[in-house]
Amino acid sequence: FMYHELLRDLQQEFAEDIEIWEIAKTHLGFPVYAVLIGESTAIDRADVLLVGSMHGNELLTFNYAWDALEGVLRNPSDTTINLRSRYNLWFVPMANPDGNWVSMRYDHGIKKGHNNGRNTDNSCSISAVEGIDLSNNYPQKQQASIPEAETIGMINLLNSRSFVFAMSFHSGGNGLYVPILHS
């Protein structure tokens, strides 16, 4: 719930600089937001995407994505001014609000809240270990036979723009994992 307040405050403070898009509504009814620093009508600019909290129990990743978002807005250095003039910067700080909600309210164990919490065992109750791993819910992935609303929202966003770079933050314990770059 603090996330919605943070978004509301950011929208009031930077009304001329950002656009907030609801790209999906989860099965628990939470919205998935994309925040754009740039202009949605500036289709001549390339798009860049940062995603946090794809796994609801990776709580640090929301902070990484949110800090990057605020940093670009609040610290107008030569680098951020250059980025803002060349790219549409998209942020999805919390791609898995259901998993985050489950993780925060149940047991925050290694796999608790990792998935999106959708009832997958037909028990009619929410379990902290149930749901779909949204990272594996994209086309060509193992669980992608029935894409989740969060996945469809991300795919629609990706297909609607000309993204040249995307990064999804993941964490484990006290670390931040980064991909191995291949030539």
Side-chain angles (χ1 to χ4, degrees):
F1 298 103
M2 292 183 336
Y3 176 44
H4 298 283
E5 293 302 315
L6 289 170
L7 276 175
R8 190 178 352 267
D9 291 346
L10 202 66
Q11 189 172 34
Q12 287 176 346
E13 186 175 350
F14 296 100
E16 300 297 318
D17 298 312
I18 66 171
E19 297 177 26
I20 299 176
W21 297 63
E22 183 178 316
I23 61 171
K25 184 78 82 175
T26 69
H27 71 280
L28 291 179
F30 295 114
V32 177
Y33 293 113
V35 180
L36 167 63
I37 299 174
E39 300 173 36
S40 56
T41 58
I43 57 174
D44 56 324
R45 289 187 194 167
D47 296 272
V48 172
L49 174 65
L50 270 79
V51 179
S53 198
M54 182 68 70
H55 296 129
N57 65 343
E58 296 177 352
L59 304 177
L60 291 174
T61 64
F62 168 79
N63 293 333
Y64 295 139
W66 190 262
D67 287 349
L69 168 60
E70 278 194 316
V72 171
L73 289 169
R74 296 187 191 284
N75 303 313
S77 68
D78 290 342
T79 302
T80 59
I81 290 169
N82 187 32
L83 282 173
R84 290 175 67 171
S85 66
R86 295 182 61 203
Y87 300 100
N88 284 317
L89 305 173
W90 292 86
F91 298 83
V92 179
M94 189 174 294
N96 186 357
D98 288 2
N100 181 270
W101 183 87
V102 168
S103 179
M104 296 294 286
R105 278 148 190 83
Y106 289 90
D107 180 7
H108 181 72
I110 189 129
K111 285 292 187 183
K112 312 270 175 92
H114 179 85
N115 297 342
N116 69 350
R118 181 169 65 91
N119 186 322
T120 53
D121 69 0
N122 298 318
S123 66
C124 297
S125 64
I126 297 171
S127 166
V129 294
E130 279 191 276
I132 302 297
D133 180 346
L134 296 178
S135 289
N136 290 327
N137 193 236
Y138 288 84
Q140 312 294 317
K141 292 288 189 169
Q142 51 191 281
Q143 296 179 0
S145 59
I146 304 173
E148 295 291 294
E150 302 93 320
T151 307
I152 293 168
M154 291 295 294
I155 290 170
N156 288 341
L157 174 63
L158 290 167
N159 288 336
S160 72
R161 310 297 300 187
S162 57
F163 285 95
V164 295
F165 178 81
M167 179 181 216
S168 178
F169 291 115
H170 293 269
S171 68
N174 295 325
L176 172 67
Y177 300 127
V178 294
I180 298 171
L181 299 177
H182 299 279
S183 59

